[in-house]
Amino acid sequence: MTDFNEFTHACRTIENTPGSLDMTGQVAQLLQDVTCDELPVVTHFIMGEVFPAWSAEDMGIGTSLLYTALSKTAGISIKKMESLVRDTGDIGMAATVALSNKPRGQATFSLFIEDTPPLSILDVFGRFKNISKVSGKGSQATKIKNLQYLFNSSSTEQAGYIARLAIEDLRIGVGEGIVRDAISKAFEVPISDVERAFMLTNDMGLVAVTARSGGSEEVTKLGIELRRPIRMMLAQVTPTIESAISEMETVAIEWKFDGARVQIHKDGDNITLFSRRLEDVTRSLPDIVSAVKENVKADSAILDGEAFAVDESGRPRAFQEILKRFRRKYDVELTAREIPLTLRLFDLVYLNGENLIDEPLTDRRAALVGCVENAGSIKVDEQVLTADIEEVNRIYNEALEAGHEGIMIKNPNSPYSPGKRGKNWLKKKPVMETLDLVVIGAEWGYGRRANYMGSYTLACHDPDTGRFLPLGKVGTGINDEQLAELTETFSKLIIIESGMTIELKPEVVFEIAFEEIQKSTNYESGFALRFPRLVNVRDDKSPDEADTLVRIGNIYSNQRK
Ligand code: AMP
């Protein structure tokens, strides 16, 4: 059993390491040093998560619950705890300081008993697992007790990392990219194999364990499993229809529906639906579940499609309406009647035990058409194969007239590339491209808006380090109703509040329109947005799906051309 101290020690070293190459080496060493049981846990921990992102397991620890547990353990008031977080600027450091100042009389139970074994990595995980299992009345108290146990059994430095892990914000700069490279280095498996296995399983812990026990041979065997989501294939923007056609020659054109992505797993009569964030949304969408049961003729299948809401005339309703359906946990049947969904299927990645991702799009579609019986609310979307620009323009205009976003231009010979935003799927929309950015901070408003958070700090994503780098603030495009709703959402994500300024847990993605990207020394990303405006709150996107620093840099350079 590995002591949790080993993990803490590795985190401290990594945190103080500037280069990502050295960081990869240190993570690789840690992965090699732990036991097989500990390996999946440590792989998730080091990325700042406790369970794989797709798993339904969730600890539900907000900052206020964490502050309560810490203040109880340290014997200080919650106000004092909050002020420590403000002063140190970090929950981990605040936990360490609070517990170091603990009066002698409150020394921990474990310190009185000399031979109490030190806290192990699996002890910490076990407590987190207990926390994820409790629900209903009394659950808050049980969560606090479990956290108190951990804080009481650990050194003050360990407690700092436990506090950060509890809210899944480890802040040591290790993201998916570094862990992927570290697994490759530690267990001598090519990076591309690790990457592909991760895209198919969505579980870096599983990939690490498999790499250690079976090397490249077993890692490449890791594949699709029903009821475990695979990463969705993504699209790139194409500047013009002409450039897309000249690159692919014959193109497959489909409408780009104005809705939300759904990945559908059919395992006999069991249907599971995943959102674009790979969250299980089955319970919120009973109409889609029954439409799939009735109209998909396959023993097992994984289908990809877009769900949208329509008004009486068949035109798509606002994106926020669709999200109401995806978010709904109670009265789902009632909401389903109020906001009926239409599903358009455009891909099939698995059929009756066979993985189709490496098959060309045309073959996957033929199989899709073969297993779906089109009905009113569920259909395979129409696709036209053509090399004729006029025809593509005609379809583009039709889609826009029908109220949808534009078109998708797909390479008919391409495989399904999970998690990839490559050149095989291009999107063409009329508006200036928007950016998806993560909200990492906010400011309290003034005057009439004094009780609301009025301005939000936006950041792009650096996939290698998992960090979010700021590039601007947005306060425009937000009406009063939205402001109240956003303030409520964000109040649960406050990490530190200092005067008017708030630091937020990176969780919510805003779709932002802007006039121009400029170089700037004001923001850590090195860029700033001119005239940013909120277009949508993208609840369907997770923070790591936000636009990357590389894309911001590309848009900047293209602007200048
Ligand atoms: P974006 O969200 O701007 O990156 O555009 C890609 C998204 O368009 C996908 O994730 C789908 O949710 C959506 N979409 C709508 N229609 C289609 C289609 N026919 N094929 C693929 N994606 C589509």
Side-chain angles (χ1 to χ4, degrees):
M1 262 210 191
T2 310
D3 200 313
F4 188 68
N5 211 28
E6 299 282 321
F7 177 75
T8 309
H9 177 73
C11 287
R12 195 192 330 120
T13 318
I14 293 166
E15 212 173 343
N16 295 324
T17 303
S20 64
L21 216 62
D22 294 340
M23 276 170 131
T24 305
Q26 275 143 10
V27 176
Q29 187 63 54
L30 176 68
L31 299 183
Q32 278 171 334
D33 287 347
V34 296
T35 66
C36 286
D37 290 353
E38 292 157 349
L39 183 56
V41 174
V42 169
T43 312
H44 293 299
F45 275 10
I46 204 75
M47 290 195 288
E49 62 184 26
V50 173
F51 304 108
W54 61 272
S55 153
E57 288 172 298
D58 177 29
M59 293 193 290
I61 298 176
T63 41
S64 73
L65 189 127
L66 180 60
Y67 293 172
T68 309
L70 279 167
S71 63
K72 277 180 188 260
T73 319
I76 58 174
S77 69
I78 293 188
K79 281 242 157 335
K80 173 77 187 152
M81 191 62 228
E82 285 171 349
S83 90
L84 277 177
V85 178
R86 255 196 310 275
D87 295 346
T88 54
D90 167 43
I91 180 69
M93 230 182 294
T96 301
V97 175
L99 296 167
S100 322
N101 294 338
K102 190 153 65 167
R104 278 188 69 79
Q106 306 217 7
T108 62
F109 178 66
S110 58
L111 291 179
F112 284 126
I113 303 171
E114 271 177 11
D115 52 0
T116 303
L119 197 63
S120 72
I121 291 172
L122 290 183
D123 290 335
V124 176
F125 180 64
R127 289 284 159 172
F128 283 157
K129 202 144 175 95
N130 289 348
I131 290 174
S132 75
K133 282 188 191 142
V134 294
S135 64
K137 214 168 151 231
S139 63
Q140 299 298 83
T142 314
K143 288 180 187 184
I144 292 171
K145 277 199 187 119
N146 276 287
L147 285 174
Q148 276 187 277
Y149 174 88
L150 287 174
F151 294 137
N152 269 326
S153 324
S154 54
S155 72
T156 53
E157 190 193 20
Q158 290 171 359
Y161 287 104
I162 291 171
R164 287 181 183 175
L165 272 178
I167 53 167
E168 299 192 290
D169 188 13
L170 195 60
R171 297 182 173 210
I172 58 167
V174 174
E176 274 168 24
I178 288 182
V179 174
R180 176 201 60 205
D181 296 356
I183 293 175
S184 157
K185 188 175 163 83
F187 309 120
E188 294 172 9
V189 174
I191 289 182
S192 55
D193 291 349
V194 177
E195 167 93 11
R196 182 181 157 99
F198 178 55
M199 291 300 154
L200 290 177
T201 62
N202 257 306
D203 191 335
M204 212 57 115
L206 174 65
V207 178
V209 170
T210 314
R212 177 191 267 186
S213 62
S216 176
E217 198 182 329
E218 292 302 315
V219 168
T220 47
K221 281 190 205 150
L222 278 176
I224 294 177
E225 209 169 86
L226 288 168
R227 304 192 212 183
R228 187 178 63 195
I230 68 166
R231 294 251 157 159
M232 314 250 182
M233 182 161 174
L234 300 168
Q236 242 181 43
V237 187
T238 181
T240 62
I241 291 174
E242 288 78 358
S243 61
I245 294 187
S246 68
E247 221 162 274
M248 295 184 203
E249 293 178 6
T250 298
V251 289
I253 305 294
E254 297 165 22
W255 282 13
K256 185 176 189 312
F257 300 100
D258 188 6
R261 189 87 174 256
V262 254
Q263 188 179 100
I264 301 160
H265 291 228
K266 181 176 190 303
D267 186 2
D269 264 346
N270 192 295
I271 312 293
T272 317
L273 309 177
F274 295 100
S275 70
R276 182 182 172 128
R277 292 183 73 157
L278 308 181
E279 288 157 344
D280 186 334
V281 287
T282 315
R283 283 186 48 209
S284 308
L285 308 174
D287 43 348
I288 302 245
V289 170
S290 41
V292 170
K293 258 191 207 163
E294 270 168 41
N295 296 291
V296 177
K297 308 292 171 200
D299 291 336
S300 62
I302 300 179
L303 309 115
D304 198 353
E306 186 87 349
F308 52 93
V310 284
D311 61 19
E312 301 80 43
S313 60
R315 291 180 72 79
R317 286 162 72 168
F319 184 67
Q320 294 307 324
E321 299 280 296
I322 305 164
L323 287 185
K324 273 190 204 155
R325 288 293 318 274
F326 273 66
R327 276 199 226 136
R328 199 79 196 176
K329 299 241 157 47
Y330 311 98
D331 295 332
V332 282
E333 300 284 351
L334 181 72
T335 326
R337 278 196 296 278
E338 281 168 4
I339 314 172
L341 291 179
T342 298
L343 178 67
R344 288 292 171 267
L345 295 163
F346 49 74
D347 220 316
L348 178 71
V349 289
Y350 181 92
L351 180 66
N352 296 334
E354 223 185 300
N355 179 349
L356 304 181
I357 65 166
D358 292 322
E359 304 297 321
L361 173 61
T362 35
D363 291 4
R364 297 199 307 276
R365 265 194 77 90
L368 177 65
V369 170
C371 75
V372 176
E373 271 177 16
N374 287 339
S377 66
I378 171 173
K379 276 185 190 156
V380 175
D381 75 340
E382 277 180 37
Q383 190 190 73
V384 175
L385 286 174
T386 180
D388 177 2
I389 290 186
E390 290 309 307
E391 189 166 19
V392 178
N393 273 320
R394 184 184 53 73
I395 301 170
Y396 178 59
N397 289 325
E398 266 172 19
L400 294 180
E401 268 163 39
H404 286 284
E405 284 185 357
I407 47 169
M408 299 290 298
I409 305 175
K410 299 182 179 176
N411 181 345
N413 304 316
S414 60
Y416 188 96
S417 317
K420 287 268 150 39
R421 195 182 283 285
K423 286 200 167 139
N424 287 326
W425 280 19
L426 301 174
K427 54 185 175 184
K428 175 71 191 153
K429 299 198 264 184
V431 285
M432 159 110 191
E433 208 38 49
T434 53
L435 290 173
D436 293 326
L437 299 170
V438 182
V439 181
I440 59 167
E443 261 169 45
W444 289 110
Y446 293 93
R448 197 168 59 82
R449 290 184 160 188
N451 291 328
Y452 297 129
M453 294 179 199
S455 154
Y456 299 91
T457 310
L458 306 165
C460 59
H461 185 221
D462 180 359
D464 281 343
T465 62
R467 293 184 64 215
F468 296 101
L469 306 171
L471 73 164
K473 290 185 181 181
V474 68
T476 332
I478 309 173
N479 62 32
D480 282 3
E481 192 192 335
Q482 229 177 353
L483 211 59
E485 214 178 286
L486 287 173
T487 304
E488 197 189 325
T489 307
F490 284 120
S491 58
K492 296 182 198 112
L493 302 175
I494 296 176
I495 297 179
I496 308 163
E497 216 180 311
S498 167
M500 306 291 274
T501 312
I502 302 158
E503 187 185 327
L504 294 169
K505 188 174 172 200
E507 181 81 47
V508 177
V509 175
F510 277 5
E511 183 180 348
I512 298 288
F514 58 97
E515 204 138 279
E516 199 192 346
I517 296 177
Q518 299 174 317
K519 284 251 182 209
S520 164
T521 48
N522 290 341
Y523 293 109
E524 215 185 325
S525 64
F527 296 104
L529 295 180
R530 264 192 79 179
F531 303 126
R533 178 172 55 81
L534 177 67
V535 178
N536 263 316
V537 180
R538 294 302 302 254
D539 286 10
D540 60 325
K541 291 197 175 178
S542 59
D544 56 12
E545 271 192 278
D547 280 307
T548 58
L549 187 59
V550 173
R551 173 151 193 250
I552 308 286
N554 286 344
I555 298 179
Y556 172 79
S557 328
N558 283 336
Q559 260 172 203
R560 306 201 70 79
K561 282 183 203 153

